[in-house]
Every structure is written in C-alpha cells, then in structure tokens.
Amino acid sequence: MEAPQLDARIAMPIETNNKIDNTNGIGEGDDDGDSEFSITSSSLSRVFHGVVVATKAPDDVAAPIHQWILSCESKGTSDHDATATILRPEEWCKAATLGLSHEDSRQLARVAIGVAVLRERARRSQNATAADLAMVWGLVRDAITHPMTTGPRFSAARSSQGFLAIPLCSLLKDGNIDELYRFHIWLPDGRRGNPDFTVHSHQAYAQSWILVGEGKDYQYTFEPVASVVDATHAVYTLSWADDKNTSTAYKTHQTSSTVVNTGKLGRTTLTSGPAVHGRDMSYSIPSAVFHSTEVAPDTLHATLFVFDSRRGFVKNAPVLGPKDSESSTQLRDPAGVTPAALANMVDTMRSWEMLMEQGQQHSQRAEWEYALRAFNKALNLCESVPDFPNAARYKRQVFGQLGNTNRRFGRYEQAREILEKALGEMEPDSPERVDFSGELGVILRHMDRLEDAKRAFEDQYNTAKRLSNARAQCRAVGNLGMVNYQLSEQVGGPLLDLAIEQLTERITSVRRLKAALDAQSSDPSQRHLFNTFTTWEMVGLSRLSLCYTARGEGKQAIKVASEGVEVAASSADSTAIAMSRLFYGRALLLDGQHQEALKQFNPPNGCTPAIALCKEPSEEHRTYLAELVVAGADMDAVDEQGYKALDYAVFNGDTATEMVVLSGLRQQLMRKVEDEVAERQNEAKLRKGYRELFQDELRPVLLGSNSNKNALQDLRRVYADALAVDVEKAARFDVLKFVRYADFLSFGRIPRSSDKLPGSDGPLVQRFRSNTQNDSPLSGTAEFVIFFSYRGINGGSVTTRDTPDDSNNKQYKRMLSATENFLKLHPSVDSETLGIWIDRACIDQDKQDTWR
C-alpha cells in the first residue's frame, strides 16, 4: 500500500484549447509560441541522475552521458553561442544525436530532456502546453519502447490504487522523495485497487499531466473524533518494501507496500468533486491534502506524474482506511505487463482520442463527410491494432458516433444496422444504452417506423430512469413527445395532448439543466454541455409549435417557435438554426403571414431550412419540404460548405426528396425567367419614359437656363406637370419630395418616409406639386430645396434603433447648423418656402423597388 503513488489532485487546466494532432516527438508541427524556452545543463544533469536511478542504468552506461552533458557545458552545441550552457529542448535532442554514439544512451538522454521540460515549466510557474506534452510524451514513449541492450531498463509496478507506475526519474534525499517523475496507467481491466483505502494524502506536492482518458478527483477534510460511532475512517501509516528491507523510507523499486492502522479515528467530509480531467489538462494537489481519484474500470487513463518536495513536503502523510481493519499489503507484481506494451497502448489511445475529437468537432460544424472519415479511422484503429485495450467498449463509442453521423448525413439504413448491432451487445442497464436507443429511435422515426421508434424511445427513457440520469430522461421524454405527435397525426385520440405534455416537460427539464451551469464558464466541457442543452431547448420548442398548430392554436405556435429561433441564435450548429427557422416560418405561414415566413425560409447566408431537411430525408421532412416549395422558398441557396439542397438529396440517395427539390427548382427557375422578362420590359419602358421626359420636357428648359435664373424651379415644375398628366409615367417615376424646413426644424431628428406631422395624421414628407395641382403659384410647394448627403453613424442594432443617426442626433444637428448658415449667407431665400431633401425621408423606405 502506498499513498504517494496515488494520482489525486486539484484541477489546474493548461492550455486546454491548444489541442494538437502531432505526437511524433520534437521539432515537428507549428511553433507553440515559446521559442525561447530553454533548459540549463545543470538542470538536465540533475534530472539525468534521477533517470539513472529509475532505470537502474549501469555505471558504464551512465558515465558517458554524464560526461556528454558536462562537455556541452564547456564546449557548447548552440549555433548562437560557442560557450552556451542553456539550450532549447530541440537543441538538446540534436546534441544528443550528435554527441552520443549508442542509441540506448540517446534514448536515456531524451527521457531526461522530456522530464526536464516538465520540471522547468513547473519550477517557473509556467503552464505546459499541449504541444509541450506531446513532445515530452514522444520522447518518453520512444525510450520505453526502445529495446535496450546495454543494461538500463524501465519497469512497471502495480500500485495500491490499481494503476501501473513506471519510474522515469527518481531523486531521493534522506529516505524521502525529493523529486519523482513517473508514467501512470490505469488499464481497462477492472482492477482499481482496494476501495477501502482510496482516500489518502501525499508527503510531497504532486502534479499530473494527462496523456489520455478521463479521471475524476474528489477532495476531503478529516476531523479527528474520539468515538468509533462518530468516525468514518481510521488513520493508517505507510511503509515500503524492496529486495533489502521494509521501512518508512521511500524506495524507487518496490516489491510491496503496507498500511497499518494507528487506532486514530476521524470523520471525512467531501469538500469538492468530482473534478473531471481529460487529455492535455494538468492538475495538482498540495502535500497533506486528503483526496481520491476515480477512473472507470473499463477505460484506459494515463498521466505523467511528479512528486516535488521543493514545492511542499510533510513527513507524515497518512492513508485513511476502515475503522476495524489492522493492516493491508499491496504486492507490486505487474502480472507480466511490460512497459513497452503500456506505452504502445497509451500511444494508440491518444491517436484514437484525437480522431474522435476531430470527428466531434466536424459534427459540431455540421461537416458530416469529414466527421465520418475521422470516426471510420478511429474504428479502424480498434479493429486493426493488436491488443487494442478493451476494443469492444471503444468500438461501441465509435459506433454511437457513426450512427449519429450517418443519421445526420441521411444514411439511415447504415445507421440503423450499426446501432442495432451495438445495442445487441450491451447490458440492459449500460449507460451507453441510453444514447444508443435514443439515436436508434430518431433513425426509425425518420424511416417512418413510428411504433418501432416509440419502443426505442421508451427503452431510452426507462433505462435513463433506472440509472437516475436526468439529462437522458430530458432527451428521452422529448423524443417520446415527438413520436406521439406523429402517431396522433395518424390515429388521433389523446396522443396529441400527451405529446404537448411531454414536450413541455422536455423544455422545463432542459431549462433546469441549463440553469445549473455557469453560462460564462471558460471550461470547454461546461461550454459543450451548455450548447448541447441549448440545442435541446430549441428542438423542444420547435416540436411544441407543431403540436399547437395541429390543435389549432396558431398564435401559441408562433410564440413558442419564435422562442426556438431566439434560443438557436447562440448555437454553432447551422443545421439546428435552420430547423428552428423552419418551424417558426411554418407557424407564420399557416397564420397567413407569407412574407414574414419567407424571411425565415430564405436567410441571407448559411444553411437554409430546405438544405437542413435534405440532410436528413424522411417522409416527415419531405412533407415540410413540399410546403417550402409551395411557399416559394429558395431551393438553389448554398450553405457554408458550398452545397445546395439538391446536393444533399443526391448524396443521401433519397429519390423522393430529390424529386421534391427538382420540382421546386423548376418552379423557381420559371419564376426567374418570368421575372427577368418582366424586368427587361420594365427597363425598356423606363428608358422610353426617360427619353420622353428629358427630350420633350426637360431639355428645352435646360437649353434656356443661361438666361433663366429660375431654371431649377422651372425644371421641377415641368417634371411635376409631366407626371401629373401621364399616368404611366407617374407609375414608373417618383415625384420630387421634400420636408418643409419648419417641419424639419420642429421634428427633432432625421425623419423617415413613413413619419407623420406631430399632432396630426398628415404626412411629414410633401410632394412637389405641379402648376395644375397648385391653387396659387406658391401654394403647397418649395421655392428652394437643399439636398443633404450624409454618412450613417448608428452604432447600435437597427432592430433596436431604426435610424442612421446616433443617440444624440449628431447628424441631424449638423444639418440644422448647415441650413442656418446657408440662410445667413443667402438672405433672399425665404425659410417659409425652403424644402429639405434627405434620402431617408424622400425615398420610400418600405418599397425597395422604388430605390432606383
């Protein structure tokens, strides 16, 4: 039994967003931004002393390496400075390749370089990046898997917590740990040590860097008590044994460890946890803090680990155990598992995790083709690598992702076969069964096998309930609500009311789950959960809108569908956003709001509802797609991947969906032809009208303008007269409009074309009237018009402040100032007959076809 070998901790994330794909050693890939990070020869020399102890390297092997490090100090190997004693890690690796003749020596030196990187990062209070960890792992892995021929060897030992430990660097002082670096591996073999002795403390400060897999940390306080009744644990002391003796002095190469009950009693209280840690994260625990680590018995988990007494040390660091036990001994026998095999397992699992992560990232961006490639590569690792650890479990994880991705890509039959095969191999209460049965239900629903889908969703709900899994219950009840809605469309009865009840429960549940999270958290796992719950909420609201529509409650359907669009706005899933637009637009369409519905069906960019429906073809989705065609939705839009609705229909091999899209495209193209013909006809008539207006009416006035000081006023009147007597021209050309200066002055801001005169229903904007329309020469018109051109300076959203001006009306005030100065310079201009022309007021803002 040995407390110091436990890997429990306080979470200290490191560069968790700096994920890397390359783990093949040093000097490859992009620079991590810290090109000046370096290691001194004295630090490397100290670490190498510990490597010699950890590997039992013979003196005749270790001496040349010590000499080489000293020679680097005196001669230097840097291109920058002939006397350098400080080198970057890659320079040390290059120097080892050139300065050491035997590959065994080079590998030992590289282990020391890798450990020194972690040591120096920690000593300088610098976070080791994911690139650092990949480099260090590459060096350690290569050394452990290298077949040493000159004597040194790495050794594995089973700890009291069930993991296997391989010493990398061991520095002891007076029988205590000074610095100890190890490689820890929890195998997916179900062995996790004696559960009675999980809570423990360390003598030295501990830090761990996760290589692969997931671990959970729990921390406790311990309060001494006098009564056995009040106690939860007893305090145990720890000793170690090797080939020589058993004592409380720490030993690098142990044969066993033993804990002995001291009779001191106490009560433990859980104070934090579980803190979940995954690949490329780091965590630490101070000396003397009680904690425990949990790793699922069927998963592989591995870390690089250090005890560092210089960052904290206590002599007495007890283990906590049963009140009524006397002692317990743990043998170190690794049962034939070799360090090389362990290193290869971890390396394979790192590759598997990275492929799964890549696939999930592609899925989150709806890049289904790329996601499938990554997941299939991960599956190939499980099936092709000999002795892949617990291949059945990890294959099931891949099957789950493949089922979901094939479903999202519209390949339902492939997805169904994958998931049914995986479910057939699972235990009834397997946590994975919850996700797999739910995913299968969605696929069967899309295949219009509604009764089969309902059975799958009931399996999902009941399994989640037995496992007390609130998240899974939330998702399952929403799935049941949707399938009951669809069944109600076929058979009627009370199923519609049940569907509304279940979907309302789904929305309430997911909002409760979201409320328990920190929406501002920078933790990637928290952010991922928050985004997932956001999608669930949106889906629940969209489905509920269908139910209200079916029950004839159109306004309520619009309300909940609108909420769904608002919720989806924060999602990174473009398909989810498009589906929320579909149900909101559909609710608007069924309420008679056709133009508003088209705004939802035809977003300006990205995935459209039509594209989203074609990604997952089904009878249900084809029904919605046909509605979009009739409504006039754009069937030729392009998504962020460069694909159109027809592309996805063809990709998925769904001929029925393809026919619906083609029908829509034909109608759309016919409308475009008709619109183009009408546009060209209109353009020709505009040119005819312009020619007649200019040649017959305006040109004579312009030719006489040199001797006519009122030429501009005459032009306006002639133009107004021409439009007043020609109905066709009046329909194609806009009359000159203006705002009386007095009205502009009193209005207080830049007016809009639809604004009314304050205190009346009369229009603020006036039309320049013709001679035939005026009762007198000056009635109802402007003798002088100022045209203003300006730049919009609205810094806010136009949806919240529909104006080109800022909140202080800065541009409006500039216009007033300019007009006042103009009137001072031109006293002959009467302010009573002065007009102001400004585009926002004098061009109809509600009719874009007039913006010519």
Side-chain angles (χ1 to χ4, degrees):
M1 189 76 184
E2 61 167 339
Q5 287 195 336
L6 270 170
D7 201 16
R9 55 262 174 165
I10 294 174
M12 187 176 72
I14 56 161
E15 307 291 335
T16 53
N17 293 325
N18 187 14
K19 300 288 188 180
I20 58 171
D21 295 329
N22 170 37
T23 60
N24 296 320
I26 191 168
E28 302 178 25
D30 296 335
D31 191 336
D32 69 357
D34 191 5
S35 60
E36 298 306 313
F37 177 73
S38 58
I39 302 168
T40 65
S41 55
S42 60
S43 177
L44 184 61
S45 178
R46 174 174 171 79
V47 169
F48 183 68
H49 277 286
V51 173
V52 170
V53 174
T55 61
K56 297 183 178 179
D59 290 342
D60 60 339
V61 175
I65 304 175
H66 282 301
Q67 188 59 42
W68 163 72
I69 296 173
L70 291 174
S71 70
C72 291
E73 189 169 330
S74 59
K75 296 178 182 178
T77 57
S78 172
D79 295 335
H80 311 300
D81 186 347
T83 61
T85 60
I86 303 175
L87 302 178
R88 296 192 298 273
E90 61 269 26
E91 291 178 317
W92 277 116
C93 288
K94 180 180 178 180
T97 300
L98 297 175
L100 298 171
S101 59
H102 200 286
E103 187 60 24
D104 287 8
S105 301
R106 293 169 182 164
Q107 293 295 347
L108 289 176
R110 288 170 186 156
V111 170
I113 294 166
V115 169
V117 169
L118 296 181
R119 181 179 190 270
E120 291 305 308
R121 285 292 194 195
R123 290 295 174 89
R124 301 175 196 180
S125 299
Q126 296 175 346
N127 291 334
T129 66
D132 286 334
L133 190 55
M135 176 199 70
V136 172
W137 168 242
L139 297 174
V140 170
R141 174 206 60 210
D142 288 350
I144 293 176
T145 57
H146 173 69
M148 299 285 185
T149 60
T150 58
R153 66 180 181 86
F154 293 92
S155 59
R158 176 77 66 172
S159 82
S160 58
Q161 296 300 308
F163 64 82
L164 291 156
I166 299 174
L168 302 175
C169 170
S170 179
L171 296 167
L172 307 182
K173 184 178 180 181
D174 300 328
N176 297 315
I177 295 171
D178 193 8
E179 293 181 66
L180 177 64
Y181 289 83
R182 291 191 310 211
F183 170 34
H184 287 178
I185 315 96
W186 287 256
L187 292 177
D189 57 5
R191 298 182 63 180
R192 290 296 179 262
N194 189 335
D196 290 336
F197 295 94
T198 57
V199 181
H200 61 282
S201 60
H202 296 311
Q203 290 179 316
Y205 179 98
Q207 184 171 357
S208 189
W209 296 266
I210 296 182
L211 293 171
V212 72
E214 182 179 277
K216 297 178 181 178
D217 177 57
Y218 302 83
Q219 294 186 21
Y220 309 84
T221 57
F222 180 74
E223 180 183 358
V225 297
S227 170
V228 174
V229 176
D230 295 332
T232 58
H233 292 81
V235 175
Y236 285 68
T237 58
L238 175 63
S239 61
W240 297 273
D242 60 11
D243 294 332
K244 299 176 182 179
N245 61 58
T246 299
S247 69
T248 57
Y250 184 78
K251 297 166 178 61
T252 303
H253 301 284
Q254 305 159 15
T255 57
S256 67
S257 64
T258 300
V259 291
V260 177
N261 194 336
T262 65
K264 297 177 181 178
L265 302 173
R267 172 175 291 278
T268 60
T269 302
L270 179 67
T271 57
S272 67
V276 181
H277 310 113
R279 179 170 52 84
D280 294 338
M281 294 180 70
S282 180
Y283 46 87
S284 59
I285 189 74
S287 58
V289 171
F290 286 105
H291 49 87
S292 65
T293 298
E294 179 184 10
V295 176
D298 59 348
T299 63
L300 187 143
H301 181 58
T303 70
L304 293 173
F305 181 82
V306 63
F307 286 121
D308 187 353
S309 65
R310 299 192 181 191
R311 289 188 277 169
F313 182 84
V314 295
K315 180 63 177 175
N316 296 316
V319 175
L320 301 182
K323 298 177 288 184
D324 54 357
S325 181
E326 293 184 2
S327 65
S328 178
T329 296
Q330 170 68 44
L331 299 179
R332 292 290 180 257
D333 182 11
V337 181
T338 66
L342 293 171
N344 284 327
M345 286 185 202
V346 171
D347 204 50
T348 298
M349 287 304 304
R350 279 175 62 83
S351 298
W352 183 89
E353 273 197 359
M354 289 176 184
L355 287 169
M356 292 293 284
E357 184 180 84
Q358 289 169 18
Q360 289 160 0
Q361 289 174 347
H362 286 306
S363 294
Q364 289 170 8
R365 296 191 291 267
E367 298 166 355
W368 307 118
E369 194 169 358
Y370 295 106
L372 279 175
R373 291 178 190 173
F375 293 137
N376 278 315
K377 287 180 181 179
L379 181 62
N380 182 61
L381 275 181
C382 296
E383 296 176 337
S384 63
V385 174
D387 300 320
F388 190 98
N390 199 0
R393 178 192 185 277
Y394 289 102
K395 281 172 66 175
R396 285 199 300 270
Q397 286 195 35
V398 182
F399 285 152
Q401 294 293 342
L402 282 172
N404 177 269
T405 307
N406 274 293
R407 188 259 295 179
R408 301 296 292 270
F409 211 42
R411 299 174 178 177
Y412 298 138
E413 194 57 41
Q414 295 95 320
R416 182 191 63 78
E417 290 177 0
I418 289 169
L419 293 173
E420 286 184 346
K421 179 182 177 182
L423 281 165
E425 300 173 357
M426 287 182 193
E427 296 296 326
D429 286 341
S430 167
E432 293 168 327
R433 188 174 195 87
V434 174
D435 293 330
F436 281 49
S437 56
E439 188 63 40
L440 177 62
V442 173
I443 291 164
L444 291 168
R445 190 171 66 79
H446 283 316
M447 296 174 75
D448 304 312
R449 293 169 52 177
L450 298 182
E451 291 292 350
D452 291 337
K454 186 171 182 177
R455 281 189 287 273
F457 291 142
E458 287 172 343
D459 182 17
Q460 179 190 28
Y461 184 82
N462 292 330
T463 305
K465 191 173 182 179
R466 287 195 300 272
L467 296 173
S468 300
N469 187 333
R471 296 176 191 172
Q473 282 183 259
C474 170
R475 192 172 190 185
V477 76
N479 287 333
L480 282 170
M482 185 58 186
V483 78
N484 279 323
Y485 158 74
Q486 288 182 277
L487 286 169
S488 74
E489 294 284 280
Q490 296 180 359
V491 301
L495 287 177
L496 181 58
D497 291 339
L498 177 60
I500 290 175
E501 179 184 330
Q502 290 170 329
L503 289 168
T504 302
E505 181 184 343
R506 157 73 169 262
I507 295 164
T508 302
S509 297
V510 77
R511 285 174 175 170
R512 188 163 53 244
L513 291 170
K514 282 179 69 175
L517 298 175
D518 179 5
Q520 306 303 318
S521 173
S522 59
D523 182 351
S525 62
Q526 289 281 300
R527 293 303 309 160
H528 176 71
L529 264 183
F530 190 85
N531 292 336
T532 298
F533 293 158
T534 296
T535 300
W536 290 4
E537 184 181 3
M538 179 278 296
V539 171
L541 289 163
S542 297
R543 291 173 174 176
L544 188 57
S545 75
L546 290 174
C547 295
Y548 282 127
T549 298
R551 203 157 71 174
E553 300 178 18
K555 297 302 181 185
Q556 186 66 12
I558 291 173
K559 178 179 180 295
V560 296
S562 174
E563 289 179 36
V565 171
E566 291 177 10
V567 169
S570 63
S571 172
D573 188 339
S574 60
T575 304
I577 294 172
M579 292 300 286
S580 72
R581 287 180 173 274
L582 166 71
F583 293 112
Y584 182 38
R586 187 174 184 273
L588 291 167
L589 186 67
L590 294 175
D591 192 56
Q593 302 182 50
H594 185 264
Q595 290 303 315
E596 291 301 312
L598 282 178
K599 292 178 183 178
Q600 299 303 318
F601 298 153
N602 300 326
N605 50 58
C607 184
T608 67
I611 290 173
L613 292 170
C614 290
K615 287 181 178 181
E616 298 185 47
S618 67
E619 183 61 36
E620 177 197 2
H621 283 190
R622 282 190 292 275
T623 300
Y624 298 145
L625 192 63
E627 292 177 359
L628 293 181
V629 169
V630 173
D634 187 358
M635 292 290 128
D636 206 35
V638 180
D639 70 5
E640 61 274 13
Q641 304 302 320
Y643 294 135
K644 301 180 180 181
L646 184 60
D647 292 321
Y648 286 106
V650 172
F651 291 163
N652 296 329
D654 191 276
T655 304
T657 298
E658 184 180 342
M659 291 301 102
V660 176
V661 176
L662 287 173
S663 171
L665 284 171
R666 289 190 188 97
Q667 294 182 37
Q668 187 171 333
L669 292 173
M670 289 176 63
R671 285 196 300 269
K672 283 185 178 179
V673 170
E674 293 172 357
D675 290 345
E676 282 200 24
V677 170
E679 178 67 18
R680 297 194 181 180
Q681 181 185 29
N682 186 53
E683 288 174 355
K685 290 184 177 182
L686 280 172
R687 285 191 289 271
K688 175 178 179 289
Y690 172 76
R691 181 182 178 84
E692 290 175 350
L693 278 172
F694 183 78
Q695 295 290 351
D696 299 342
E697 307 293 346
L698 303 181
R699 195 165 185 268
V701 178
L702 290 171
L703 290 174
S705 62
N706 288 338
S707 59
N708 182 2
K709 65 179 181 179
N710 295 319
L712 278 176
Q713 186 73 357
D714 290 344
L715 276 173
R716 294 172 190 145
R717 289 194 178 280
V718 167
Y719 179 72
D721 286 345
L723 297 185
V725 298
D726 191 322
V727 176
E728 183 176 357
K729 286 188 178 67
R732 298 185 184 280
F733 294 88
D734 200 11
V735 299
L736 177 63
K737 300 172 185 175
F738 63 93
V739 178
R740 292 188 181 91
Y741 173 60
D743 294 337
F744 186 74
L745 184 64
S746 63
F747 196 69
R749 63 181 185 277
I750 295 177
R752 192 181 188 276
S753 57
S754 57
D755 285 332
K756 304 294 185 180
L757 281 168
S760 75
D761 291 331
L764 178 67
V765 180
Q766 305 297 316
R767 299 163 66 92
F768 196 95
R769 303 175 69 186
S770 68
N771 285 329
T772 59
Q773 295 169 319
N774 284 339
D775 299 328
S776 64
L778 297 179
S779 173
T781 189
E783 293 298 315
F784 201 96
V785 179
I786 297 176
F787 285 76
F788 274 110
S789 177
Y790 62 95
R791 176 174 60 88
I793 58 173
N794 180 359
S797 167
V798 293
T799 59
T800 57
R801 204 161 48 80
D802 186 12
T803 172
D805 212 346
D806 67 9
S807 57
N808 294 318
N809 296 316
K810 184 176 181 180
Q811 297 291 55
Y812 169 76
K813 292 174 182 177
R814 285 176 172 174
M815 294 175 190
L816 289 183
S817 177
T819 305
E820 291 169 0
N821 288 333
F822 175 85
L823 290 172
K824 290 177 182 178
L825 290 172
H826 302 279
S828 61
V829 176
D830 185 357
S831 63
E832 293 297 321
T833 58
L834 176 64
I836 302 295
W837 189 96
I838 183 170
D839 59 357
R840 189 166 181 272
C842 299
I843 297 176
D844 193 335
Q845 300 298 298
D846 298 319
K847 291 185 179 180
Q848 295 187 19
D849 58 351
T850 64
W851 298 0
R852 300 182 183 279

